[in-house]
């Protein structure tokens, strides 16, 4: 899609707009436990936001036996799938998306969730009427902190990186945006601290979507570059 002078906001979804970070943590913890590879939940939590390939490298080491990787992913997907009908949006997430759209910003869900998960996330948000574009893991060769999913989101939405802001909840989100020179606004609702997000390079940090909405007029989202 050709770029024009439009401005937009790219949103991570898991842990940023929908309250799933700890569900993923517990699901990975149980999947690892079932295969005799126990990892503390606190360690797993800090890796959430990476794609499963990098997450497993991070938790188990790149030199591990990879034969069990598909079994681990399947176990995680099965365990996490049990929560799909109970997913909850984070405070005022849909209102934030609508407020951005009302300001003339293109609203993009730049998620690297698997395609079969994206539908559950969108149902939880209930804001399809203002969402311009949605990505999935199928759109990226390499997962975060690589910027592939953001590149795909920008391209599909017809946005230039110089006229976009990314909103995410993990240091991996901040790192991915930084590789494209896209400013990243951090939210602590995924369980990563204000200091960690700011230290990773977030240009501003808020508690959750509701806090960002309350401060929207003075936030990086309000001033297209």
């Amino acid at each position: 899609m050709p770029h024009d002078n439009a401005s937009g906001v790219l949103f991570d979804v898991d842990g940023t707009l929908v309250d799933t970070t700890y569900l993923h943590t517990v699901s990975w913890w149980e999947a690892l436990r079932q295969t005799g590879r126990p990892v503390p939940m606190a360690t797993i939590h800090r890796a959430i936001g990476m794609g499963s390939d990098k997450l497993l490298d991070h938790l188990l080491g790149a030199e591990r036996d990879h034969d069990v990787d598909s079994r681990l992913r399947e176990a995680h997907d099965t365990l996490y799938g049990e929560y799909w009908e109970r997913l909850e949006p984070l405070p005022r997430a849909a209102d934030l998306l609508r407020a951005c759209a009302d300001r003339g910003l293109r609203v993009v869900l730049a998620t690297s969730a698997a395609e079969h998960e994206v539908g559950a996330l969108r149902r939880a948000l209930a804001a399809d009427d203002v969402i311009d574009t949605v990505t999935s893991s199928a759109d990226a060769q390499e997962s975060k902190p690589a910027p592939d999913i953001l590149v795909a989101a920008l391209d599909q939405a017809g946005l230039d990186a110089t006229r976009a802001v990314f909103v995410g909840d993990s240091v991996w989100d901040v790192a991915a945006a930084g590789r494209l020179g896209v400013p990243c606004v951090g939210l602590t609702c995924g369980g990563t601290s204000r200091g960690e997000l700011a230290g990773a390079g977030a240009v501003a940090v808020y508690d959750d979507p509701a806090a960002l909405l309350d401060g929207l007029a003075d936030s990086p989202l309000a001033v297209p570059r």
Side-chain angles (χ1 to χ4, degrees), residues 11-19 88-90 93 96-97 109 125 209:
F11 287 93
D12 174 63
V13 181
D14 280 301
T16 300
L17 298 175
V18 182
D19 194 11
E88 290 287 340
L90 284 152
L96 174 61
L97 300 186
L109 302 188
L125 277 173

Side-chain angles (χ1 to χ4, degrees), residues 127-209:
D128 276 358
D129 53 305
V130 295
I131 295 170
D132 183 88
T133 304
V134 183
T135 63
S136 74
S137 59
D139 296 309
Q141 281 194 322
E142 192 173 349
S143 61
K144 289 181 288 188
D148 297 27
I149 201 67
L150 301 186
V151 172
L154 290 168
D155 185 59
Q156 291 178 27
L159 292 169
D160 191 276
T162 62
R163 298 190 63 81
V165 177
F166 183 44
V167 181
D169 69 292
S170 73
V171 295
W172 317 114
D173 293 327
V174 181
R179 294 184 185 185
L180 294 181
V182 173
C184 184
V185 172
L187 302 184
T188 63
C189 49
T192 300
S193 72
R194 182 176 297 269
E196 288 175 292
L197 291 168
V203 297
V205 182
Y206 298 82
D207 289 343
D208 56 21

Side-chain angles (χ1 to χ4, degrees), residues 2-223:
H3 294 169
D4 52 30
N5 289 324
S7 296
V9 187
L10 314 182
F11 287 93
D12 174 63
V13 181
D14 280 301
T16 300
L17 298 175
V18 182
D19 194 11
T20 59
T21 299
Y22 292 96
L23 301 180
H24 280 296
T25 298
V26 171
S27 297
W28 279 117
W29 176 83
E30 177 61 17
L32 288 158
R33 188 197 67 81
Q34 288 177 1
T35 59
R37 294 163 175 78
V39 177
M41 285 194 193
T43 303
I44 297 169
H45 170 261
R46 298 179 71 81
I48 299 299
M50 295 179 171
S52 62
D53 53 342
K54 293 186 178 178
L55 180 144
L56 292 174
D57 282 349
H58 185 76
L59 296 178
L60 302 177
E63 303 306 316
R64 71 187 184 283
D65 178 3
H66 290 258
D67 290 344
V68 77
D69 283 10
S70 60
R71 182 178 162 197
L72 283 166
R73 292 191 187 98
E74 288 171 7
H76 164 272
D77 289 353
T78 298
L79 291 159
Y80 176 61
E82 295 178 3
Y83 297 108
W84 283 5
E85 299 307 314
R86 292 174 282 162
L87 296 183
E88 290 287 340
L90 284 152
R92 302 193 71 193
D95 292 340
L96 174 61
L97 300 186
R98 291 194 169 92
C100 289
D102 287 346
R103 288 175 171 268
L105 298 168
R106 290 184 184 167
V107 174
V108 182
L109 302 188
T111 176
S112 54
E115 287 186 78
H116 58 276
E117 296 175 12
V118 171
L121 295 168
R122 293 176 73 165
R123 286 193 298 274
L125 277 173
D128 276 358
D129 53 305
V130 295
I131 295 170
D132 183 88
T133 304
V134 183
T135 63
S136 74
S137 59
D139 296 309
Q141 281 194 322
E142 192 173 349
S143 61
K144 289 181 288 188
D148 297 27
I149 201 67
L150 301 186
V151 172
L154 290 168
D155 185 59
Q156 291 178 27
L159 292 169
D160 191 276
T162 62
R163 298 190 63 81
V165 177
F166 183 44
V167 181
D169 69 292
S170 73
V171 295
W172 317 114
D173 293 327
V174 181
R179 294 184 185 185
L180 294 181
V182 173
C184 184
V185 172
L187 302 184
T188 63
C189 49
T192 300
S193 72
R194 182 176 297 269
E196 288 175 292
L197 291 168
V203 297
V205 182
Y206 298 82
D207 289 343
D208 56 21
L212 177 53
L213 177 60
D214 288 343
L216 189 60
D218 299 314
S219 77
L221 279 63
V223 186

